[in-house]
Every structure is written in C-alpha cells, then in structure tokens.
Amino acid sequence: MTGTPIAAMVLGLALPALLAPAGCVDINGGAVEVAWAVFTRDGRAISDCACADPSIAYVRLNLVSEAAAAAQPCTGLDACRFGCNRKIGATPFMIQPGRYLMSLVAVGADGADLADGVVESPAPQSRDVVFGQPTELEAYTLHTNCSMQCNSTDLTKPCTGG
C-alpha cells in the first residue's frame, strides 16, 4: 500500500472533530457551579425547602470581586438564582475572569434575601474564575428551622412534608 501513513490518516479524520464547536454554549467568561443541602439547626435534613422556616424558594450565588468590590456580576441576574429544591446550580459562562468571594444566599418566596441568622450559610470562599472554565465550589450547608407543618416529634427523622 503506497500513500498516507496510518497516523496521518487518523489525524486527518480526528482533526475536524477536534476543531468543531463543542456545543451551543456562549463562552463570554467563566462559570460557577455550587451544590447545597438544607438542615435544621439540630442537624436533621430538610428534604423539601418549603419545610424550612421560613420557606426557602431560591438560593442565590453572590460573587464579590476581590479586586474591585463594586464588581458583583451576579447582582440582579436570574442566571445566578436557582430553585432551592434543585440542590445544584451553575451560571452560564458569563463571569469575568478574576478572584471572587463567593457565597450562597437563601431567598424567600417574596424574592427577599433571608438574613444570616434566619438561614445560616457558610462564610464566603475565595476562588478564581477562569475564562471558559467552570469554577466548582464545595457543597454548602444551609441551616434553619423546620416549619411546624413539617416538624416531626421524632428528632431522629428528617424534616419533611406530607
């Protein structure tokens, strides 16, 4: 057989696939991914965010630039707000590269932030956002009370509805 060596044929077949777009995702910065779980103050799992007291409708990713505190790319954006029962969320690739203090804020059904002390969350974590890459945060634990409608008298059972 005369002609092209096998390695060149494989490269010729693979190169177009490697150069093809990876998908239909706009890349205008980096992304941030976070997971969370909700627990009572006595350590029981809250399986439904409606059973939290007060009820948690959403969790919002809060990003504050360490270089310029005025730069808060998630402020007012639905892309940084996730339904609480989802237990995981990720922003689009829209966060400008840089170092940020990242935290998770519980949000009530009325859209207002639930203050720390009402729903406790860990202190902000400092992380770098890199263009075209996801930044993964450790899983957050949010602590609050169990609503009376979901509260079990058996403190060994989770706080759950129905």
Side-chain angles (χ1 to χ4, degrees), residues 52-135:
D53 184 19
S55 177
I56 304 171
Y58 304 97
V59 294
R60 180 178 53 79
L61 189 58
N62 188 39
L63 304 178
V64 178
S65 170
E66 289 189 24
Q72 298 183 24
C74 280
T75 300
L77 293 180
D78 284 340
C80 296
R81 189 179 76 168
F82 315 105
C84 181
N85 285 326
R86 286 181 51 186
K87 309 282 191 230
I88 192 166
T91 69
F93 286 90
M94 57 147 204
I95 310 297
Q96 290 306 304
R99 191 153 188 86
Y100 293 88
L101 289 173
M102 302 181 182
S103 59
L104 201 59
V105 178
V107 179
D110 62 357
D113 292 353
L114 300 173
D116 202 29
V118 175
V119 177
E120 297 168 3
S121 64
Q125 300 175 22
S126 182
R127 295 287 188 275
D128 288 318
V129 172
V130 178
F131 187 89
Q133 295 183 16
T135 299

Side-chain angles (χ1 to χ4, degrees), residues 41-58:
R41 296 181 198 287
D42 60 15
R44 295 178 293 142
I46 297 178
S47 59
D48 182 342
C49 293
C51 285
D53 184 19
S55 177
I56 304 171
Y58 304 97

Side-chain angles (χ1 to χ4, degrees), residues 106-157:
V107 179
D110 62 357
D113 292 353
L114 300 173
D116 202 29
V118 175
V119 177
E120 297 168 3
S121 64
Q125 300 175 22
S126 182
R127 295 287 188 275
D128 288 318
V129 172
V130 178
F131 187 89
Q133 295 183 16
T135 299
E136 295 181 21
L137 296 175
E138 290 86 16
Y140 275 85
T141 56
L142 304 175
H143 291 92
T144 191
N145 296 316
C146 181
S147 73
M148 291 304 289
Q149 68 195 28
C150 300
N151 204 357
S152 168
T153 55
D154 183 349
L155 295 180
T156 63
K157 293 184 178 179

